[in-house]
Structure formats: C-alpha cells, structure tokens
Amino acid sequence: MTSLPRPAIELSADEARRIALRAQGFLGAPDRRSGVRGVLRHLGAVQLDTISVLARSHELIPYARLGAVGRDTVEAAYWTETHAFEYWSHAACILPVEEWPHFAFRRRAYRSRPHWHHDLPDGAYDQVIKQLRAEGPLTATELGGAKNKGEWWDWSESKIAVERALMYGEVVCTERRSWKRVYDLAERAIPDALLHDDLSAPECLRRLVRLAGEALGVGTRADIADYHRLKGEQFDAVVADSGLVPVTVQGWDKPAWADPKALETTPRGRHRTTLLSPFDSLIWERARTERIFGFTHRLEAYVPKPKRIHGYFAMPLLAGGRLLGRVDPAREGATLVAKQVTLDTPKAVEPMARALMEAASWVGCDSVRVERVNRPELTAALVRALT
C-alpha cells in the first residue's frame, strides 16, 4: 500500500470551516453579476428533489447565496441557452454544460452495464430516438406516456427507453416543465465542442475530483468523492494528479485535501444569514456537516410523523458562519408558517427572525406565524423580532 504524502499545511477547525463557507459561496460578497449561472458553475452541481415547501431545492440553492433572486430568473438561468443539463452526479443534479465531457466515464459504464431490470421490447429505443429527431424536445408523456396503469414505478416502454437513452448520453434532459423532464437529442442540446466522450476514465475522474475539491474548499477523501458520487478507490487513483494539496485539520481524524487557491488568502467578508435546503451542498453530507459545524441534521420527510423531531422539511439556519437552529416551514395563503422552530441558543432568535422574513418575502408571503418553538421561553422574543 502506498503511503500518503505527509501534509505540510495544518489548519485549525475554524480555518477549515471558513474555507468551506467561502468555497460554497456563504462568506464574502455574493457574485451578483454572474448570478444563478455563476452559482451553478461555482458549485458544479445543484441537486434536484421532488419536495417543494417554500420552493424546490434547486431554487433554494441560489436563493441561499444571492438572496431574493426571482424564481422565474432561477429557472431561466438553468434551462435556457444550453447552459446546463441534468444528469446523475451527487444524485439527479443540474450540471454546467461544460461538465458534459467529464461524465463520459459514467455514460460508458451505463452503456456496458445498465443498472436496472426493466425489459425493453425490440424497436422501442429506436422509436424514441426517431420521435425526438422528428418532433424536437418532448416529455415522456408526449413520447407516449410515462407510466403504465400500475404503481408509480411501472414505467411505460417509451419512458424506459428515453431514460436509458439519457443514461447512455444519446438523449439529454434540457429542462424541467411542471417537474417533468424534457428530453432532447444530445446532438442538438450539447454544443459541438463539448459533445464527445473523448476523455479517458482517469481524466474524467481527475477533473471531477479537482472540481469537487474546489467547490468544497477542503475535505476528506469521503467528502470529495461523495460530491459526484465517486468510489473511494476512484478518488485514490487520481488525487495525486488532481492539483489538490494534502492538509491536516485539527479535530479531523482522517486525512484531508484542499484547493490550493483556497489556502492563498484568509477567508474574510460578510456571512450570509439564510435558511438552507437539506439538499444544499454545504450540508448534504451528514458526517461532514457534523465534523465542520457540530450540527447533526437528518431529513425527516420519510420518517413517520410521530417520530419526527424537527419536522417534515426542517431547514437549517446559517448565521455568522454557524448552524444555529432549524425550522420546518409551510405556506398557508400569504402566510409563511414556522411549524416547528428549533433554536440551539438564544442568540439564534434574531437571525431566525431575519431569515424567516426574507424567505417569506421571497415566496410572496406578507406575514410569518410561529406555531411551536423547542424552547418555549424564547417564543415571545421570536414573535417580537418578527413584528
């Protein structure tokens, strides 16, 4: 076994936290000129999810960094002028179109070994390609129906075929329309200069590891590999050539690597105060969130209601570079309802009120109602801060 190079750089836990915050766009002046597309390029992946409470997660990601950017502006930034595509990264993610070549290794793997067991009749795949070529971008419904008459996973032949074509890279998801994927041929949707699978698997992996390290600022092997759902051994094979530098972080019990540019200057500037989607790349990996922020967070949407502690879609509160609490929000007409508020400290009251009011304004609500607070003695102070 090859021994790891001995790190020459040591970081305190606080330095690592601030590097991570800056890398993810929460420390320093937001790049409003680059806007939503700048956020996407900077992060390299924005996770999609079906849950919509205040808004869908891919809308919450730029909101958390830029403030109250219009939701129509967010969608247009992603889905117009071939700036992005959807593919399997950390999960189903919106990715900058420049990253298309980097996923050649994954497309080749899917072509050689499809990972599902749906049967596909002869001719069904070719028929979907033929229809897209003739008619242009279409949803699965427009291709002939997304489902059979069974359960939700009982896909139709056309849905199976077009999803397989998406995984192979012959078809691209170029837009979400009423949450339905809109499919088009890759030869039309991806710019010619990027439409290739020329990169070798090691080169794809090297680039993805480097980009993940830049997006995180500093991370362990598991942190960086998980960003685009790479295997640990894939990380091991390319990290020495990735340009990331080995570091040690006080209190971290595993080796770490950092973006060398992130080490050149001390992170400074204004901290964002905001509510975070549970699928935000700052916190999507639980072990990393606990290590950096001392904050344990679990999405409870799939936990039986009687067993939930913090609520269906509890959104952590980021303030002053710390995670200070969380809130499970809902909307009733023009009222944002804070169904369950968890405040870890009395110092979280004012930031929570500010974050709730900003979120309410962003989604078109004109008032905030608090239902439950984990520390009842802080309820009156929170209500006063909101009014």
Side-chain angles (χ1 to χ4, degrees):
M1 181 177 178
T2 303
S3 60
L4 294 169
R6 183 174 180 81
I9 300 171
E10 295 187 5
L11 300 172
S12 69
D14 188 64
E15 287 171 330
R17 178 183 59 83
R18 291 171 63 82
I19 286 171
L21 285 165
R22 182 176 64 182
Q24 282 282 301
F26 291 105
L27 177 59
D31 184 4
R32 299 193 187 282
R33 179 173 296 179
S34 297
V36 176
R37 288 174 180 169
V39 169
L40 176 62
R41 287 194 301 271
H42 189 74
L43 297 180
V46 169
Q47 186 173 339
L48 291 154
D49 193 79
T50 58
I51 297 173
S52 179
V53 179
L54 290 182
R56 294 201 187 273
S57 187
H58 66 284
E59 299 171 299
L60 292 167
I61 303 308
Y63 162 74
R65 290 155 177 82
L66 301 174
V69 58
R71 296 172 68 184
D72 289 343
T73 300
V74 172
E75 295 293 340
Y78 288 141
W79 301 127
T80 59
E81 301 173 358
T82 63
H83 280 275
F85 69 106
E86 180 184 333
Y87 201 60
W88 297 103
S89 167
H90 184 80
C93 288
I94 302 171
L95 302 164
V97 73
E98 293 82 4
E99 291 192 15
W100 175 268
H102 305 160
F103 288 87
F105 82 103
R106 191 160 285 168
R107 292 190 290 271
R108 288 193 292 260
Y110 285 141
R111 291 176 208 143
S112 64
R113 185 172 55 84
H115 82 303
W116 59 52
H117 304 287
H118 293 96
D119 293 327
L120 194 60
D122 291 343
Y125 186 98
D126 292 339
Q127 174 58 35
V128 160
I129 300 301
K130 181 180 178 181
Q131 190 173 347
L132 287 171
R133 180 164 282 117
E135 300 180 30
L138 299 169
T139 65
T141 301
E142 292 165 340
L143 281 165
K147 295 192 298 181
N148 292 320
K149 295 181 179 180
E151 301 292 342
W152 67 268
W153 61 84
D154 185 21
W155 286 356
S156 68
E157 292 176 4
S158 57
K159 174 66 171 177
I160 296 169
V162 76
E163 284 291 325
R164 191 166 295 185
L166 183 144
M167 295 175 76
Y168 293 175
E170 193 168 358
V171 160
V172 178
C173 176
T174 58
E175 181 185 357
R176 288 273 186 158
R177 188 184 302 155
S178 300
W179 197 242
K180 294 180 180 180
R181 281 176 172 162
V182 178
Y183 306 92
D184 196 6
L185 298 179
E187 64 195 48
R188 279 199 299 246
I190 303 298
D192 289 343
L194 301 172
L195 184 63
H196 63 80
D197 283 356
D198 297 344
L199 299 184
S200 66
E203 181 61 14
C204 291
L205 297 170
R206 185 191 69 79
R207 294 189 186 193
L208 289 175
V209 165
R210 174 61 186 248
L211 290 170
E214 292 174 351
L216 292 172
V218 59
T220 65
R221 172 185 190 251
D223 296 342
I224 297 170
D226 184 65
Y227 204 82
H228 292 294
R229 291 285 161 83
L230 306 179
K231 297 177 181 178
E233 54 267 31
Q234 291 175 319
F235 172 90
D236 296 339
V238 301
V239 65
D241 298 320
S242 69
L244 303 180
V245 297
V247 298
T248 58
V249 181
Q250 294 174 9
W252 293 20
D253 61 0
K254 295 181 180 178
W257 286 261
D259 171 16
K261 290 184 180 179
L263 302 175
E264 292 175 356
T265 58
T266 301
R268 302 183 188 281
R270 181 175 63 86
H271 288 94
R272 269 292 279 155
T273 296
T274 191
L275 301 178
L276 298 173
S277 162
F279 303 107
D280 195 297
S281 50
L282 180 71
I283 58 168
W284 64 18
E285 212 280 302
R286 287 175 59 189
R288 176 178 171 85
T289 302
E290 292 178 13
R291 189 186 332 117
I292 292 180
F293 296 103
F295 188 89
T296 301
H297 188 68
R298 178 187 182 191
L299 178 66
E300 296 180 342
Y302 307 109
V303 175
K305 188 173 182 179
K307 296 184 178 181
R308 292 175 190 157
I309 298 172
H310 300 294
Y312 174 79
F313 194 74
M315 299 179 66
L317 168 69
L318 177 69
R322 308 283 182 177
L323 297 177
L324 301 180
R326 63 202 100 194
V327 59
D328 183 33
R331 293 170 64 185
E332 293 181 5
T335 300
L336 188 156
V337 182
K339 297 169 64 178
Q340 170 70 48
V341 178
T342 302
L343 301 171
D344 294 345
T345 168
K347 294 181 180 179
V349 169
E350 191 277 334
M352 178 64 80
R354 194 183 338 151
L356 284 169
M357 288 189 290
E358 183 183 64
S361 176
W362 179 55
V363 297
C365 293
D366 56 21
S367 62
V368 178
R369 186 177 80 244
V370 176
E371 290 191 345
R372 295 184 303 279
V373 180
N374 69 315
R375 301 171 67 165
E377 71 276 12
L378 298 178
T379 302
L382 179 59
V383 171
R384 283 197 302 273
L386 285 165
T387 57

